[in-house]
Amino acid sequence: MTKWNEVMMDNYGTPGIELVRGEGIFLFDSFGRKYLDFLGGIATSLLGHAHPEIVSAVTKQISTLSHVSNLYAHPTVLQLAEKLTQMTGGGRVFFCNSGAEANEAAIKISRLTGKSRIIATDGAFHGRTMGALSLTGQPNKRAPFEQLLPGITHVPFGDLIAMKEALALGDVAMVIVEAIQGEAGVILPPPGYLLALRELTTRYGALLACDEVQGGMGRTGKWFSYQHEGVVPDIVTVAKGLGGGLPLCAIIAVTPAAQLFTPGSHGSTFGGNPTSCAAAIATISVIESAQLLESNYRLGSVLKDGLSTVDGIHAVRGIGLWIGLDLEDAPAVTKELQTLGVLVNAAGSQTIRIAPPFIVTESQISEFISLLGQAIRKVAS
Ligand SMILES: Cc1ncc(COP(=O)(O)O)c(C=O)c1O
């Protein structure tokens, strides 16, 4: 950690452990200690670590063709784009490398509508680059970097009256929401919220963008969390789990948003590179063949039922393998869990977020619940 402080910038603070190896749901640190990974690289390592199908697909691809840029086509990018458009029910794809970049692309598409305003929601997290940060509804993250993009209005998440008032002011190119807010602590809006947003955005001629960077790729038991309400957005942004642990993001837009980029409007050197696309195809194929969407939904209920029996947990929220739980002193409980060999994330002072890999078993869920109870008792004592 002395070396970390010497050579790394301080934006992440100093990590408590150094990880050197992963296998399935387990991670191992440089002292050989084993950790049950209930965070999955922040909702990213969907199939855990060193999954044989991903290792094989990446090894094959990297030894055949690892990078070509977007001046040329290659079969893996086309296969993945086709798969993603099947999941969304149509559209066209632009590939890039991170969630923030996907949302930057959404901002650029929205500008090409000829309108200039964007409405986002309080509490939302859309990334750290200047455009994505401008959308992020957390003033403490935005403040040090003002001036950000002009023309962005934040309204309370779930508040349709405020949304309608902001739309009625006119010139709105896009409304962007997380169907379930992840960084904010896995916060679900009131039922019907997305359906109403779809109706309002259509009425006011604005694009509806769903940021599925964290909630997408099957974590909630459907490919995208907005699909629980049966809406069809104009733009979907995906990253994190898409590449099965490799950097990859996609923005999928349906007509007319899909037609707005023309040659020269946007680009990314690495976006959709063959190696990351091969990892994504392998990840999707395992999710489908092992029917992990169905099992994620079921395991999520097992997890929620178990968590609701633990003393000291005040609230449990979420769908599938994406859960926020409220308790006293989340950072201290997170630290104690790490000592007990379990990795989770404190999404705030009173909220822990869990996003285990989809390969988690019922017995690992029981073990997690028992260790969490132990950590809460230790912190309270
Ligand atoms: C909903 C959402 N959007 C965007 C991002 C930004 O993704 P990245 O860190 O890959 O830029 C995140 C990251 O946590 C996220 O949760």
Side-chain angles (χ1 to χ4, degrees):
M1 298 316 159
T2 310
K3 180 61 78 186
W4 175 283
N5 289 335
E6 271 170 31
V7 298
M8 299 288 284
M9 289 197 196
D10 207 21
N11 53 309
Y12 298 114
T14 311
I17 53 173
E18 180 186 52
L19 298 172
V20 292
R21 189 168 74 80
E23 191 181 319
I25 198 170
F26 296 106
L27 286 162
F28 299 84
D29 71 13
S30 37
F31 295 100
R33 280 186 301 234
K34 185 175 176 182
Y35 298 88
L36 183 62
D37 182 9
F38 260 59
L39 186 57
I42 319 187
T44 296
S45 309
L46 303 189
L47 301 181
H49 306 281
H51 191 283
E53 301 282 331
I54 299 181
V55 172
S56 156
V58 167
T59 309
K60 194 168 157 215
Q61 186 63 54
I62 209 164
S63 49
T64 311
L65 182 68
S66 63
H67 174 75
V68 289
S69 86
N70 286 293
L71 295 178
Y72 310 99
H74 56 86
T76 45
V77 78
L78 293 176
Q79 194 184 336
L80 181 58
E82 189 168 31
K83 191 77 214 171
L84 289 172
T85 56
Q86 284 161 4
M87 290 174 183
T88 53
R92 293 173 79 181
V93 183
F94 167 79
F95 285 106
C96 40
N97 313 286
S98 70
E101 254 188 279
N103 290 325
E104 294 288 338
I107 295 170
K108 284 183 78 174
I109 287 181
S110 82
R111 282 281 201 264
L112 296 175
T113 62
K115 297 181 177 179
S116 66
R117 291 181 55 225
I118 297 175
I119 304 175
T121 57
D122 292 338
F125 185 77
H126 295 293
R128 305 279 191 164
T129 54
M130 293 299 269
L133 184 61
S134 310
L135 301 177
T136 291
Q138 301 179 29
N140 60 333
K141 292 198 170 72
R142 286 202 310 266
F145 303 100
E146 301 284 358
Q147 291 290 324
L148 293 169
L149 277 192
I152 296 178
T153 307
H154 288 90
V155 298
F157 184 56
D159 183 339
L160 287 166
I161 294 170
M163 181 64 78
K164 191 174 168 200
E165 281 170 5
L167 276 162
L169 294 175
D171 194 31
V172 178
M174 174 171 79
V175 169
I176 184 162
V177 286
E178 295 168 84
I180 298 172
Q181 289 190 337
E183 291 286 313
V186 193
I187 310 288
L188 283 83
Y193 180 61
L194 285 182
L195 275 171
L197 284 189
R198 177 68 285 181
E199 196 271 313
L200 281 173
T201 46
T202 305
R203 193 189 321 161
Y204 286 94
L207 300 174
L208 176 62
C210 285
D211 179 341
E212 291 284 332
V213 166
Q214 192 164 144
M217 298 315 295
R219 178 156 296 285
T220 65
K222 292 198 182 281
W223 283 118
F224 303 112
S225 56
Y226 68 77
Q227 290 172 333
H228 289 281
E229 282 215 358
V231 297
V232 179
D234 302 289
I235 291 176
V236 181
T237 58
V238 198
K240 286 192 180 278
L242 173 62
L246 268 69
L248 181 65
C249 82
I251 167 163
I252 308 134
V254 298
T255 310
Q259 315 300 337
L260 292 171
F261 276 162
T262 50
S265 329
H266 199 43
S268 162
T269 297
F270 279 113
N273 81 87
T275 313
S276 296
C277 288
I281 292 164
T283 304
I284 293 166
S285 146
V286 172
I287 293 173
E288 285 181 332
S289 59
Q291 300 186 322
L292 296 179
L293 294 187
E294 295 77 359
S295 78
N296 285 355
Y297 194 76
R298 188 181 57 77
L299 288 172
S301 302
V302 173
L303 194 46
K304 277 198 285 186
D305 290 348
L307 288 168
S308 58
T309 65
V310 178
D311 281 345
I313 296 183
H314 310 314
V316 179
R317 294 177 298 273
I319 311 183
L321 294 177
W322 197 27
I323 290 176
L325 42 107
D326 294 344
L327 35 64
E328 297 301 318
D329 206 347
V333 174
T334 301
K335 201 163 166 213
E336 184 57 29
L337 271 173
Q338 188 172 295
T339 310
L340 294 172
V342 181
L343 302 183
V344 297
N345 164 249
S349 62
Q350 303 206 316
T351 302
I352 282 180
R353 176 180 35 163
I354 53 177
F358 300 175
I359 52 167
V360 67
T361 62
E362 285 199 38
S363 72
Q364 287 158 348
I365 288 176
S366 303
E367 187 187 352
F368 168 73
I369 288 167
S370 147
L371 290 168
L372 176 61
Q374 208 176 308
I376 293 173
R377 285 192 296 280
K378 177 82 191 293
V379 168
S381 66

